[in-house]
Amino acid sequence: MSTRHVAAAIQPVDRCWVCDHDQFDPFLQCAFEHTQFAARDPELAAYTGARLWLRRCRRCGFGQPEAVPALTHYFDRMYDQHWSDEWIESEFVSRSKDLIFRGILADLRRRVPAAERRLLDVGAHVGKFLHQAAQDGWRVEGIELNPRTAAYAARRTGAVIHQVNLDAFLMTGGQVDAVTLIDVLEHIPEPVRMLRKIRQLLKPGGWVGVKVPCAPSQLRKERVRAALRSGYQISIGTNLVHVNHFDPGSLVRALEAAGFEQATVRTAAPELSMVVGSRLRVALDDLVRMTIFLCGRWMPGAVHWPVALNLQAYGRARRGDVARAP
Ligand SMILES: [Zn+2]
């Protein structure tokens, strides 16, 4: 295993972020490409050309990098994207995640009593999920760090969007009945630490809903693509955008380590094109995605098969304190 170190500093990661084990198997080398930041953030751009290995924990199966950039607020700086107003609007209008959002709201309705439906969406993006949750009868609020998407989400939903990190929100002492992390937890280093903070945000007995990619299935899909198309680059892990790589077992283990009980995981719904009057190819693509998803959802044990490309997990906030060690 070789790691190309560049001028930009890195911080080794020696213990598994989920189970604290210290034995790993490398499974993919990832590259850094931040030339777009050359003028705006030269320190971030200096990581361009660096390479790190992603490694899988031998005990719990969780995948994480062998090191992370030592640059202060590396991840916040990488996500400081200046999206256009048109792109933000298109994200809200898009129906591609409707199936995912409807499924999560239905699952939470079964778990949270009707009288106690205050929901916090962490990483609220443009507010589309909050918009649907409010229509579904939830009292909603969100956390979103990007100022442009946070402002848009507040304007479109009328909800309070906190433009602060979780630590700052915790200081407010507010508690909710449900927290959602939709395509968020794969981006935050040390996920158990984050889930512990989520648990503090929940009233005892409240529920968290987490959607993440299923890392082994996504990697298998990417390797098939790379085998079929010459020049295709596997981009999983590039820039550590996906810094956490869960499989079903390690996702449940992370929830339990953070103080959640009744943790369950199943195959999550896919994103769909959902274009009205779509061309045949788009319709066929959606049909393939739905077929793969339904196999992964309903075949017994299929959450552990390659057809489970995304994972949907829930956990109930345990009452009382939880030991610090995973
Ligand atoms: Zn582990």
Side-chain angles (χ1 to χ4, degrees), residues 20-292:
D20 205 38
H21 196 52
D22 62 355
Q23 299 290 310
F24 305 92
D25 294 312
F27 65 91
L28 185 70
Q29 202 179 35
C30 62
F32 289 77
E33 209 297 300
H34 285 310
T35 49
Q36 64 165 310
F37 291 97
R40 184 150 57 96
D41 192 343
E43 289 181 327
L44 180 59
Y47 283 89
T48 299
R51 289 183 175 273
L52 289 175
W53 279 95
L54 298 177
R55 307 189 298 180
R56 190 168 288 122
C57 171
R58 288 183 184 171
R59 184 158 71 186
C60 77
F62 178 69
Q64 64 186 39
E66 62 177 327
V68 292
L71 178 67
T72 308
H73 302 306
Y74 167 83
F75 291 93
D76 292 345
R77 291 159 81 159
M78 176 170 61
Y79 292 121
D80 183 20
Q81 300 285 340
H82 294 183
W83 290 309
S84 71
D85 292 344
E86 292 75 21
W87 184 85
I88 290 173
E89 176 76 19
S90 71
E91 283 286 286
F92 190 89
V93 171
S94 167
R95 297 181 56 205
S96 63
K97 292 189 175 184
D98 281 7
L99 188 67
I100 299 167
F101 295 163
R102 281 203 303 269
I104 293 171
L105 290 170
D107 290 340
L108 289 175
R109 260 200 312 274
R110 282 193 289 275
R111 289 170 167 86
V112 180
E116 304 168 10
R117 290 202 173 143
R118 187 176 168 207
L119 180 146
L120 176 74
D121 188 31
V122 176
H125 193 44
V126 298
K128 186 64 179 284
F129 176 72
L130 287 178
H131 173 71
Q132 294 197 351
Q135 287 185 324
D136 209 40
W138 293 82
R139 287 179 294 145
V140 299
E141 55 195 301
I143 293 179
E144 174 54 52
L145 285 176
N146 185 290
R148 294 180 187 219
T149 48
Y152 182 90
R155 195 165 67 247
R156 283 302 294 253
T157 64
V160 175
I161 307 296
H162 308 271
Q163 203 191 314
V164 297
N165 63 29
L166 266 182
D167 292 310
F169 188 82
L170 276 169
M171 297 290 282
T172 68
Q175 284 197 310
V176 297
D177 306 289
V179 173
T180 45
L181 294 160
I182 304 171
D183 300 321
V184 168
L185 196 59
E186 66 270 34
H187 302 290
I188 315 290
E190 302 188 60
V192 173
R193 182 183 287 196
M194 183 181 192
L195 287 170
R196 284 201 182 103
K197 293 176 186 173
I198 298 293
R199 181 177 160 270
Q200 292 177 51
L201 290 173
L202 284 164
K203 295 174 186 168
W207 287 87
V208 66
V210 179
K211 178 191 171 255
V212 292
C214 181
S217 302
Q218 295 280 354
L219 181 57
R220 201 170 286 119
K221 185 180 80 171
E222 288 292 288
R223 284 188 164 141
V224 169
R225 278 185 176 166
L228 295 176
R229 291 187 216 163
S230 65
Y232 184 84
Q233 292 290 319
I234 295 176
S235 59
I236 289 175
T238 299
N239 296 337
L240 298 184
V241 169
H242 286 192
V243 67
N244 300 321
H245 299 261
F246 289 101
D247 63 6
S250 56
L251 182 54
V252 167
R253 194 164 184 154
L255 284 165
E256 290 173 345
F260 290 93
E261 58 190 5
Q262 299 179 38
T264 58
V265 63
R266 66 178 190 188
T267 306
E271 285 188 42
L272 297 174
S273 300
M274 299 287 282
V275 178
V276 177
S278 59
R279 290 169 294 134
L280 182 62
R281 185 172 169 189
V282 174
L284 283 174
D285 185 53
D286 282 355
L287 183 65
V288 168
R289 287 175 189 228
M290 280 304 293
T291 304
I292 292 171

